[in-house]
Amino acid sequence: MVKWRYAVILDAGSSGTRVYVYRWLESAKARQSASPKELKSLPEIRTKKRWTKKIHPGISTFADKPSRVGPDHLEELLKHALDVIPESDVKNTPFFLLATAGMRLLSDVDRNQILSEVCSYVKSHSNFLVPDCDIHIQVIPGETEGLYGWIAANYLLDSFDADNDAHKNGHHTYGFLDMGGASAQLAFVPNETEARKHANDLTLLRLRNLDGSIQEYKVFVTSWLEYGVREARRRYVEAILKAAGGPKVKEIPDPCLPAGLRTSRDGKPVSSDSGETHLVGTGRFDECLEQTYPLLDKDAPCPDEPCLLHGVHVPAIDFDVNRFVGISEYWHTTHEIFEMGYKDKAYDFNTYQQRVNRFCSQDWSAIEKGVSEHRWGSKVDEEKAMEVCFKASWIINMLHDGIGIPRVGLETAKGSTHNGTKEVLQHGKQKGYLSTFQAVNEIDSTEVSWTLGKVVLYASSLIPAGENDLPVGFGSNQPGVPADFQYPSIRGPTVIRETDFETWREALFGGESPRRIPGLLLFLLIVVIMVFYLCGRNRRGRIYHKLQSFFGPRGSRFNRGLGGKLLGLRRNSPAYERVMEEGGLDLGEMNTGGESDRSDSGVDYDPSKSPMQSKRSSLLSGPHTPTFKFELDNGSGSSIGLGISNIHDRQGMVLRNDSREHLVPAVASGSRSRAGSPTRMHRKSPVLSPMDGEQ
């Protein structure tokens, strides 16, 4: 049976596309060795770092050449996935390409052309399972991306475990923050008061445990397009260009760049004599914080109170119970430079801001030297060093002035003297993040990516339903299955149930099943019985006689007991027995054409009649000649030799040929049967006229 199931997810972001391969135990296999606690948990999803690969740029850059997205972009990613997944499992492996903010910024026409090309290329260049391109290859809303991220983070933090202890005031789950290049997401479960007050704003999420039981959560999710670091930088540059007087000004001071660094409006290094309008770094981080704050748009009208950013409604966040983890830029911006360059990795918000100030106030020449010496690690290149000051200011504003996270500290974990994000305590309750905000990249060596949340949902949907047959997925916060309910894959049957066949298959072939050996023997016995009944009555009779000979004198009891019932040869049932002299010719083997159709009796073959009908007219005589219809043996259980049907008179019959084969009349019910034998061939049937030569 299938042991592993796989899934391939492509995160088609604004800056590039990353392929993830995940696998998990098939649900029936997982249940065999699961403990009671594990049965109340979600499937265990596994992945490896080498199963992941990212390429640049994003698929949104193919808007003007959609036909090239396959050979120039997808080919490398498909090859990587196919190298990971066993060939025999590819056809059962679902493939998803889910695009995010970069594709959301395109027009409908450009977006649909790219998605159509992706669908065609994947189907023609792989055997992955893509039953419906509208579901498996699509641009997902920011809210869906945020919900998947919320699932992934809480899954890795064991928040879905049955015996999970609340981290504070009865709250079991963590809030989720994600920031990419083009958008930012927020997802959390409000406290009870806010959940009741804003019930219509929540999303119903339903998952299924290994034992078929259901988990339900009501999550608030929102997304801000153009609030990712790249789009925020674009808006920032437009604002300072406008404030400086427009494109006529050639040099525009930029406090978010290190002193002495000159870049174009799109962030590329330029020389002082380039002649085009460019930005000149001043290295004043305090001013950078002030100039990025207006990008939050905190003063926008709020039609549905309360709001956080850009007039977007968000239920009030209770930081006494709501704890948040942040991924993507929240991690990279707070760690790649501002952690790696220091031996002492413990810092609070003030320490973090001091390190950013110290870095960004350096001359660009000093930073270049530090990059070449790998002072901040091998992953930090000049491009990242140029961008990090703006990113740091944007992250600080988003977290504290935007979302409202208290400025207690960015990276303080309970019981730890360092930030704890790379050295996450490994299991169960020890995974808890008890600070208000914690930036993470990996938990238990697994990257926290929203793609994992998608796979958790999909794998959960494959588990057979228990007593609660509600489907897995998410939609509006309504009982049952809301009209906008979204399924993890094609809709099809909303509930998967374990069939009797699957149960038997596990009993017979499951490697861990204690019933495997007796179950297999039972299976073989059933096969033998089926083959026996399919072999026909004639062959069953031969087997019966062999068994009777084998058992000797006791064989006479065989046809009166269970064996006789199984063989269909009980004495009180009417039947014809074929008795063939040793070396004789079986009637079932007679040829029906050519010279061989003539018998030694000299009767000519009549083509309008069967061979036996031609002989019957000359061999049979007497007032009680029976009428027969002979048919070719079709192997059914009701035929003997050539087969006999529609017998109108069964008082008796003897046919004679060179093999001296007899069809012995059945004796009336209740009398002893008389088995025909070559030694009794001289006897004549009392109901037939004597044949010539036998007077």
Side-chain angles (χ1 to χ4, degrees), residues 203-222:
T203 297
L204 172 68
L205 170 68
R206 188 178 297 123
L207 301 166
R208 185 175 293 135
N209 298 320
L210 281 176
D211 65 354
S213 59
I214 287 294
Q215 294 192 41
E216 285 190 352
Y217 299 90
K218 298 174 181 179
V219 188
F220 177 83
V221 188
T222 193

Side-chain angles (χ1 to χ4, degrees), residues 14 50 82 113 181 239-240 583 588:
S14 58
R50 62 182 179 85
L82 291 170
Q113 285 182 341
I240 63 174

Side-chain angles (χ1 to χ4, degrees), residues 178-438:
D178 187 7
M179 180 179 291
S183 65
Q185 286 76 40
L186 176 148
F188 71 103
V189 174
N191 64 22
E192 293 184 5
T193 301
E194 290 295 304
R196 288 193 297 269
K197 187 186 300 183
H198 302 283
N200 293 335
D201 301 319
L202 305 183
T203 297
L204 172 68
L205 170 68
R206 188 178 297 123
L207 301 166
R208 185 175 293 135
N209 298 320
L210 281 176
D211 65 354
S213 59
I214 287 294
Q215 294 192 41
E216 285 190 352
Y217 299 90
K218 298 174 181 179
V219 188
F220 177 83
V221 188
T222 193
S223 177
W224 292 278
L225 190 60
E226 299 186 337
Y227 275 66
V229 290
R230 193 191 68 251
E231 285 298 304
R233 172 68 180 174
R234 179 188 59 78
R235 294 193 290 128
Y236 167 77
V237 171
E238 289 178 354
I240 63 174
L241 283 173
K242 183 178 180 180
K248 293 181 180 180
V249 180
K250 297 303 181 183
E251 291 187 355
I252 302 175
D254 185 353
C256 295
L257 289 177
L261 175 61
R262 296 174 181 268
T263 71
S264 62
R265 285 178 290 183
D266 58 0
K268 304 299 181 183
V270 298
S271 60
S272 58
D273 57 354
S274 64
E276 62 177 301
T277 300
H278 59 275
L279 309 176
V280 180
T282 63
R284 299 181 63 85
F285 188 71
D286 291 341
E287 291 184 13
C288 180
L289 283 172
E290 292 178 4
Q291 294 195 33
T292 53
Y293 174 82
L295 301 176
L296 298 175
D297 199 14
K298 294 281 290 184
D299 298 327
C302 179
D304 185 10
E305 293 283 352
C307 296
L308 284 184
L309 311 171
H310 196 53
V312 175
H313 166 72
V314 177
I317 301 174
D318 182 0
F319 290 103
D320 286 337
V321 298
N322 291 124
R323 299 289 183 262
F324 286 85
V325 293
I327 68 170
S328 303
E329 285 298 340
Y330 289 111
W331 162 268
H332 298 301
T333 302
T334 58
H335 286 74
E336 286 182 344
I337 289 180
F338 306 116
E339 180 193 50
M340 297 301 295
Y342 298 87
K343 293 182 180 179
D344 179 14
K345 301 182 185 300
Y347 55 86
D348 55 18
F349 171 76
N350 290 329
T351 303
Y352 175 74
Q353 189 160 332
Q354 288 172 11
R355 291 179 179 179
V356 174
N357 263 314
R358 192 177 306 127
F359 177 89
C360 296
S361 62
Q362 298 179 83
D363 289 339
W364 176 243
S365 58
I367 294 177
E368 282 184 303
K369 183 180 179 181
V371 170
S372 63
E373 295 173 350
H374 302 295
R375 188 180 304 168
W376 301 287
S378 59
K379 293 184 178 180
V380 177
D381 54 19
E382 289 188 3
E383 182 179 358
K384 289 182 178 179
M386 287 189 294
E387 297 173 346
V388 73
C389 295
F390 172 82
K391 289 182 176 180
S393 70
W394 182 239
I395 291 292
I396 290 173
N397 277 320
M398 276 288 291
L399 284 174
H400 304 294
D401 293 310
I403 298 172
I405 290 176
R407 297 176 187 260
V408 176
L410 284 173
E411 305 295 335
T412 303
K414 183 178 181 181
S416 176
T417 58
H418 56 78
N419 62 37
T421 52
K422 297 183 79 174
E423 300 176 16
V424 175
L425 296 175
Q426 297 299 309
H427 300 289
K429 302 173 186 178
Q430 290 182 323
K431 284 184 181 177
Y433 294 91
L434 299 182
S435 58
T436 306
F437 173 80
Q438 181 84 37

Side-chain angles (χ1 to χ4, degrees), residues 159 164-174 189-192 217 318 320-322:
S159 300
N164 176 264
D165 287 339
H167 57 69
K168 193 169 185 182
N169 295 343
H171 214 73
H172 290 264
T173 61
Y174 290 82
V189 174
N191 64 22
E192 293 184 5
Y217 299 90
D318 182 0
D320 286 337
V321 298
N322 291 124

Side-chain angles (χ1 to χ4, degrees), residues 15-167:
S15 61
T17 303
R18 189 188 300 267
V19 58
Y20 294 87
V21 177
Y22 297 96
R23 78 174 183 181
W24 63 96
L25 278 175
E26 199 275 337
S27 59
K29 184 74 175 177
R31 287 195 298 272
Q32 290 179 3
S33 57
S35 65
K37 174 186 174 182
E38 291 169 337
L39 288 173
K40 289 294 183 182
S41 301
L42 300 174
E44 183 180 355
I45 311 297
R46 305 179 185 181
T47 188
K48 298 179 181 179
K49 288 184 179 180
R50 62 182 179 85
W51 292 359
T52 300
K53 183 180 181 65
K54 184 174 183 179
I55 61 174
H56 301 276
I59 64 173
S60 58
T61 60
F62 289 87
D64 58 344
K65 49 180 178 181
S67 62
R68 300 305 305 169
V69 70
D72 293 351
H73 193 78
L74 296 176
E75 181 180 5
E76 185 177 354
L77 299 173
L78 283 177
K79 183 179 183 302
H80 180 82
L82 291 170
D83 288 342
V84 172
I85 300 172
E87 184 177 355
S88 59
D89 292 315
V90 171
K91 64 180 180 180
N92 295 319
T93 298
F95 175 96
F96 296 91
L97 183 144
L98 305 178
T100 55
M103 289 283 283
R104 294 179 206 137
L105 296 172
L106 297 181
S107 67
D108 291 344
V109 173
D110 291 341
R111 187 164 53 243
N112 292 335
Q113 285 182 341
I114 293 175
L115 295 179
S116 178
E117 289 293 334
V118 170
C119 177
S120 299
Y121 189 86
V122 172
K123 286 194 169 185
S124 61
H125 289 78
S126 74
N127 291 322
F128 286 123
L129 183 63
V130 187
D132 187 340
C133 282
D134 290 340
I135 294 177
H136 283 243
I137 299 173
Q138 61 168 308
V139 178
I140 59 173
E143 290 77 12
T144 300
E145 181 184 354
L147 182 63
Y148 289 159
W150 183 88
I151 296 172
N154 282 280
Y155 176 81
L156 293 175
L157 290 168
D158 291 342
S159 300
F160 298 137
D161 283 358
D163 61 349
N164 176 264
D165 287 339
H167 57 69

